Amino acid sequence: MKPGWIVAALIALAAVTTPARGGETLRLLNVSYDATREFYLAYDRLFAGHWRSVEGQDVRIQRSHGGSGRQARSVIDGLPADVVTLALAYDIDAIAQRSGRLPPDWQAQLPNHSSPYTSVIVLLVRKGNPKNIRDWDDLLRPGLQVITPNPKTSGGARWNYLAAWGYALEKHQGDEVAALAFLRALFANVPVLDTGARASTMTFVQRGIGDVLLAWESEALLARDELGTNRFDIVMPSVSVLAEPPVAVVERNARRHGTTALARAYLEYLYSPEAQEVIAKHHFRPSLPAVAAKYAGKFPDVRLLSIRDFGGWQAAQAKHFDDGGLFDRILERRQ
């Protein structure tokens, strides 16, 4: 039998246009990224029970998942999200800047820059690590196949890229020409660029393509747990990046739907001890210190870079991922 996370269908969701009244069921649309499907399924059950006990109302949370960049563009183009829970702050900034549906200071609305959990980037390999992959340098070996999504559409892919870029910069003592050559050699070993993290996971684990998958730690742990520890190993590189997936209320949409209070409560409850437990059990690193300490053995220490080491998301996006940026120059060499 195939694991549930592989056979789960992504359902097109209708807009909610009227506020709930009386005993009606409240509805909320969460537009999220690829690697959160299982987590939000569990969290939504928890939150619905919490809301019912506190407010005496039923709530149905609808979800949309896909590559983070693509999801952001869908909201800009009119997908009526009440909340967004995306892979990186740049994608929510883009919604604020291009649509005006939430304020520019959205990241100050919740603790930890509106990131209720974090993750890191790891290397998922076949059981026994037959290609002896230990660190980023090994991904450049001729004939090796590396699976990673497309940074143009996937937030996880942008974290993957920046982790490799940061390693290459350190290795070459800040020489960006050498770092770019490192990334070119890495992407020369990428046979396919899927649009999102989950699609890349399926390419690696289901289709059997590739020797190593660059992945969220949560995605790698999920694949190992769902498909068995006898099929995959996780390699922690010498340096990774602290991925800080943020959340935000899409305020203009929520006001129109009459869901502002519900949407705020939905995101605030992510920081509760109960929700942080669900976060940890779904392989994300919790932000609440007490819960993080409880699960410290599950998440190994690794030296981490942060987006601030790359000048923040606006600078990183412009330099690497915008049209004409360094990633486009890498793609030109692949063609």
Side-chain angles (χ1 to χ4, degrees):
M1 179 179 294
K2 291 184 178 180
W5 63 281
I6 291 174
V7 300
L10 177 58
I11 302 172
L13 300 171
V16 179
T17 58
T18 58
R21 299 181 302 277
E24 292 180 5
T25 298
L26 295 167
R27 296 176 185 271
L28 194 76
L29 174 55
N30 174 12
V31 173
S32 194
Y33 63 102
D34 260 343
T36 61
R37 298 169 192 261
E38 294 73 27
F39 163 63
Y40 276 111
L41 180 63
Y43 173 70
D44 290 352
R45 293 186 186 121
L46 177 70
F47 176 77
H50 164 74
W51 186 262
R52 189 181 303 112
S53 68
V54 172
E55 300 294 337
Q57 295 174 305
D58 290 329
V59 58
R60 179 185 176 193
I61 297 98
Q62 299 173 298
R63 295 174 301 278
S64 172
H65 295 276
S68 186
R70 177 172 289 183
Q71 292 290 80
R73 284 191 291 274
S74 295
V75 175
I76 292 167
D77 291 341
L79 183 63
D82 298 284
V83 299
V84 285
T85 58
L86 297 179
L88 41 87
Y90 178 82
D91 289 333
I92 301 182
D93 281 338
I95 297 170
Q97 293 164 5
R98 299 179 194 175
S99 74
R101 290 187 172 92
L102 64 161
D105 66 345
W106 63 269
Q107 211 164 4
Q109 305 301 312
L110 290 166
N112 304 323
H113 305 289
S114 289
S115 294
Y117 53 84
T118 61
S119 192
V120 302
I121 299 305
V122 302
L123 315 178
L124 187 68
V125 299
R126 309 289 174 191
K127 186 64 181 178
N129 196 2
K131 297 299 178 73
N132 195 29
I133 295 165
R134 302 297 176 189
D135 210 346
W136 295 102
D137 286 314
D138 297 318
L139 306 188
L140 277 58
R141 296 204 306 257
L144 195 78
Q145 286 195 325
V146 180
I147 304 302
T148 183
N150 189 338
K152 291 287 190 175
T153 55
S154 166
R158 277 173 274 178
W159 288 118
N160 294 347
Y161 174 106
L162 289 177
W165 175 263
Y167 173 86
L169 271 185
E170 288 190 359
K171 174 183 174 68
H172 295 287
Q173 300 179 324
D175 185 341
E176 292 197 352
V177 173
L180 182 59
F182 186 99
L183 268 292
R184 278 187 175 132
L186 192 160
F187 277 92
N189 283 348
V190 177
V192 58
L193 287 168
D194 291 304
T195 59
R198 180 55 54 84
S200 281
T201 300
M202 293 181 70
T203 292
F204 185 73
V205 305
Q206 287 297 107
R207 297 172 62 196
I209 297 173
D211 302 299
V212 55
L213 171 71
L214 308 188
W216 298 90
E217 180 182 46
S218 58
E219 191 79 348
L221 285 167
L222 178 65
R224 191 186 67 180
D225 289 356
E226 288 277 355
L227 296 170
T229 57
N230 62 333
R231 291 190 58 187
F232 303 102
D233 290 329
I234 295 173
V235 174
M236 190 67 70
S238 62
V239 61
S240 188
V241 66
L242 179 66
E244 301 171 281
V247 301
V249 176
V250 186
E251 295 188 7
R252 184 191 295 175
N253 291 352
R255 284 196 301 270
R256 184 181 302 122
H257 303 157
T259 58
T260 299
L262 175 65
R264 289 176 179 166
Y266 178 77
L267 297 185
E268 289 169 355
Y269 194 61
L270 284 165
Y271 295 84
S272 70
E274 298 81 7
Q276 292 281 301
E277 286 277 344
V278 176
I279 283 167
K281 289 174 181 176
H282 283 80
H283 313 309
F284 293 99
R285 298 188 176 211
S287 63
L288 197 66
V291 181
K294 179 179 176 180
Y295 288 91
K298 179 177 180 175
F299 302 111
D301 289 334
V302 58
R303 190 163 64 85
L304 294 172
L305 303 172
S306 82
I307 189 58
R308 287 161 284 285
D309 293 310
F310 304 101
W313 266 116
Q314 294 297 324
Q317 179 73 27
K319 180 172 185 172
H320 295 279
F321 309 119
D322 277 353
D323 291 345
L326 293 183
F327 183 66
D328 278 355
R329 291 165 61 182
I330 291 169
L331 286 184
E332 289 172 2
R333 291 289 184 92
R334 281 171 51 91
Q335 296 172 355

